Amino acid sequence: MMSATTDRARAVWLRCLASGFRTALACTIVGCTTLYGPASIRHHIAFPAFSYVTVILIVTDATLGDALHGCWLALYATVQSVGPALLSLWLIGPAMLTSGTVSLAVALGAFVVVFPEGTHLVAKRIALGQIVIVYVIAFINGVHTEAIMHTLHVAASTAIGVLACVLALLLPYPRLACWELKLNCERLAENVSERLNLYVKAFCAEDNALALTYISQAKPLAVAGAKLLQSIKRYQESVKWERLPLRFLGNLYLNPGERLQELEIPLRGMEMALTSCTTSLPVRILDGENKHGLVQLVENVSHTQKQIKNCLPRDSLTVPESNADNIVESHQTLQTISTRHQDLPSFFFLFCMKLLHCKSLGKPITPTQQKGSSTPCKQNGFLKSTWMSNWSTSVSSKRLMPAFKCSLSLGLAVLFGLIYSKKDGSWSGLTVAISLAAAREATFKVANVKAQGTVLGTVYGVFGCFVFERYLSIRFISLLPWFVVTSFLRHSKTYGQAGGISAVIGAVLVLGRKNFGPPSEFAIARIVETFIGLSCSIMVDLLLQPTRASSLAKAQLSKCFETLSACIGSISLVANNKTNLLENQRRLKLDISELGKFIGEAEVEPDFWFLPFLSPCYFKLMGSLSRLVDLLLFSADAVGLLEHESQKLGASWKEYVTKLDGDLEIFKEMAGSLVKCFEDVTMLLSLEFLEKELENKNISHDLEMGNSSNRNIFKVSGLDEDKIDSVTSSYLQHSKEMVDKFHAADEGERELKSQVVLCLSALAFCMSNLIKETKEIEKGIIEVLQWENPSKHINLYEISCKIRALYN
């Protein structure tokens, strides 16, 4: 454990030092060019401050692919912003500008930039910054502004920042996304192998304590694996921009990341199975032959992963013959279904091992399985997100509101910034421009860390100017340790990207320039202008986005239950519903992801006079919903395999599939009725509101008058496990009768029979755990309602009946 901690600390240090070095190199290139370059070049780079801002926006934690992408984004932003601004200045004339017309022009330009949906966030930030510089500086200089040369100077200042980013990512050696991707894939393959070995050891352990030890050792590896997956997804986007200029690197661009990501789901299933069966270890279904086959399967998966992480093409993957034979024979002894509920996790573990084996070889789970749709780049073209294509789509409030918010906040920031100080009026607008967010964020927290970061960086810059007042070159070198410090700030939970970037920009703007007046005066002016910009953003957010994140989290929770209800209804052995189930499962996953964003925002928003947000309970609910997503995916895999293999089972399948589906319907009714109840109660504003509505409409409600589905809600609640156990036993008994009736005469039929055994058992495990997770959600919902209504006694059945009486 100590070694793992040391390795992690070393990795963090190296990452932050490398990021700080690349940022320092890019800023040094800009500084040397603007401070010591030829006069003809310095004349055109009239806004070195914006050059530094461009560098920070692009080079932060970037690869060469990101820098090349940044070149395109900067060009696109310049065309989108400087072109219309040039036309405006030429028609109106800089001498005719006032603070009001400048604010209006900035607001209109911002709306044009932000409204298109497909524009990259970095391009929007650069374009907004250029708009502020063009109009505000033109207003400050007045009649001395030449419209054409002024806009060209803004474009040149942007260009030098972009060029510095590319050079910084090339020197002293290139930081390629493909290398980073390959390195992370190797680490993930090793991570998967270690976790797999630990899970198999836990599964084969002779006592409960030893199994728990192995499971505990695997948990930190699971966390590390999730972080590696995030890194792989991040570098996959950057790799696309390196392919064209670096075609000579060949096999480095054979991307194994997607295949390694597919192994994560079976591993989570294995962990789920182990945590469910720790009380029933050692596993009884394993005999000597099965254990030997399991070990052979682990060796085969490890062998395949070695080939994957070495970036071998899929067609070249090989399986040793001896292993292949052992794998086929390893599960053929599983020829009957156990009716003991304690054995379900063990069968589910073996089912996940089977999935892992198929996915590691790149085989589809079923021959009819279709690959997902092509990537967005292939569907829409690599550079299709152009200005015209974005504007051609229909106008919607989802796109209109963010554009209007940004336009209004930027216009107000420029207006009040110019009113406070005409000379420094651009800084309030730049604060809003470069901090544009891609989606809703925690307004007060982000504004707080931006303000703190700006103050920290500016104070550091003033201190550096005081210490090295007479030595400009040494003053610039004093930025180097600050780049490293801000790299740590960006990766910290306290400051994050917003605070870290504000801190580095604050210092660079003071230490990286000259002839901007006394540093202390500039520092005070910039801090005040930053406060003006952040205040305008907060004010506009509160006016146009008044709904609290806690309210949105509760509404999104209700939406998750609605989608979950559709998922549960899609499970069937009679109808070919696998595609429908997978689509609903994908929607549920997206809804839960959105729920997580709202919970994260609600956790840090100020309470003021509102009830504090119960974030621990919401996180528990989200954890249960995430486990349900995995269970539904495994259910879809099991149903898909059974649908495919059912044709070979003949009469035995046709005879029993109706009975099995009947058992599943009871499962679905129990879980679905509870989920529908959750959906209803989470949509309530408050219990007092419900009671007042019932009283106003003179509606009486009788708890005994609910329909059958209402009465079924609490057959699965509380401590009553009899109904669940009886339905599970019925399902297992029907499955056993069906499997026993199918006589396997040869090796192929034995393999088919063992696969059906695993699928039916896995489906029973999924449905049983689906009910258990639903009951855990019930406890969380009651806790939330009790927190919101402390003086009320919470009875979900009673509340559900009242809601149905009111709205039916």
Side-chain angles (χ1 to χ4, degrees), residues 22 58-59 61-71 162-163 165-171 173-180 234-235 238-243 245-246 248-249 253:
R22 300 285 181 177
I58 295 176
V59 83
D61 295 330
T63 61
L64 180 60
D66 296 320
L68 295 175
H69 190 195
C71 292
V162 173
L163 179 62
C165 292
V166 175
L167 293 176
L169 270 304
L170 282 172
L171 301 174
Y173 60 88
R175 184 174 187 251
L176 298 177
C178 58
W179 287 351
E180 297 291 336
R234 176 248 188 277
Y235 290 124
S238 305
V239 162
K240 300 171 186 175
W241 286 91
E242 295 176 1
R243 291 192 180 192
L246 299 173
F248 63 88
L249 290 175
Y253 290 100

Side-chain angles (χ1 to χ4, degrees), residues 747-798:
E747 185 177 298
E749 291 183 347
R750 286 196 299 273
E751 174 64 17
L752 169 63
K753 190 173 182 179
S754 67
Q755 185 156 294
V756 171
V757 167
L758 288 179
C759 291
L760 289 171
S761 301
L763 189 56
F765 175 86
C766 291
M767 296 306 296
S768 177
N769 278 267
L770 191 147
I771 296 290
K772 292 176 182 177
E773 288 297 339
T774 305
K775 291 173 64 180
E776 289 299 315
I777 291 175
E778 178 192 351
K779 296 176 184 177
I781 295 295
I782 292 174
E783 186 178 350
V784 169
L785 291 177
Q786 194 67 70
W787 175 261
E788 295 175 349
N789 305 273
S791 61
K792 302 285 185 180
H793 172 69
I794 303 301
N795 185 316
L796 291 186
Y797 180 42
E798 180 181 347

Side-chain angles (χ1 to χ4, degrees), residues 400-420:
L400 194 61
M401 184 53 69
F404 182 67
K405 279 173 51 183
C406 177
S407 172
L408 184 58
S409 59
L410 192 57
L412 291 175
V414 169
L415 176 63
F416 292 125
L418 289 173
I419 291 174
Y420 173 75

Side-chain angles (χ1 to χ4, degrees), residues 106 128 137-138 153 185 259 287 333 346 367 381 416 424 518 530 585 618 635 639 641 680 690 726 776 786:
V106 168
L128 292 175
I137 300 301
H153 289 164
C185 285
R259 294 181 53 199
D287 53 21
T333 56
S346 303
F416 292 125
D424 298 307
T530 298
Q585 186 264 354
Y618 272 88
S635 299
V639 169
L641 279 167
D680 291 340
L690 176 63
S726 64
E776 289 299 315
Q786 194 67 70

Side-chain angles (χ1 to χ4, degrees), residues 599-637:
I599 293 174
E601 182 184 345
E603 188 181 22
V604 296
E605 71 179 356
D607 296 326
F608 294 127
W609 53 86
F610 298 99
L611 188 70
F613 183 68
L614 196 61
S615 55
C617 185
Y618 272 88
F619 278 120
K620 289 179 184 178
L621 288 170
M622 193 174 72
S624 293
L625 286 169
S626 298
R627 286 188 289 274
L628 286 175
V629 168
D630 291 339
L631 288 170
L632 289 167
L633 183 58
F634 290 122
S635 299
D637 288 335

Side-chain angles (χ1 to χ4, degrees), residues 129-144:
Q130 289 174 332
I131 288 172
V132 172
I133 294 292
V134 167
Y135 285 110
V136 175
I137 300 301
F139 170 66
I140 293 172
N141 295 335
V143 294
H144 302 291

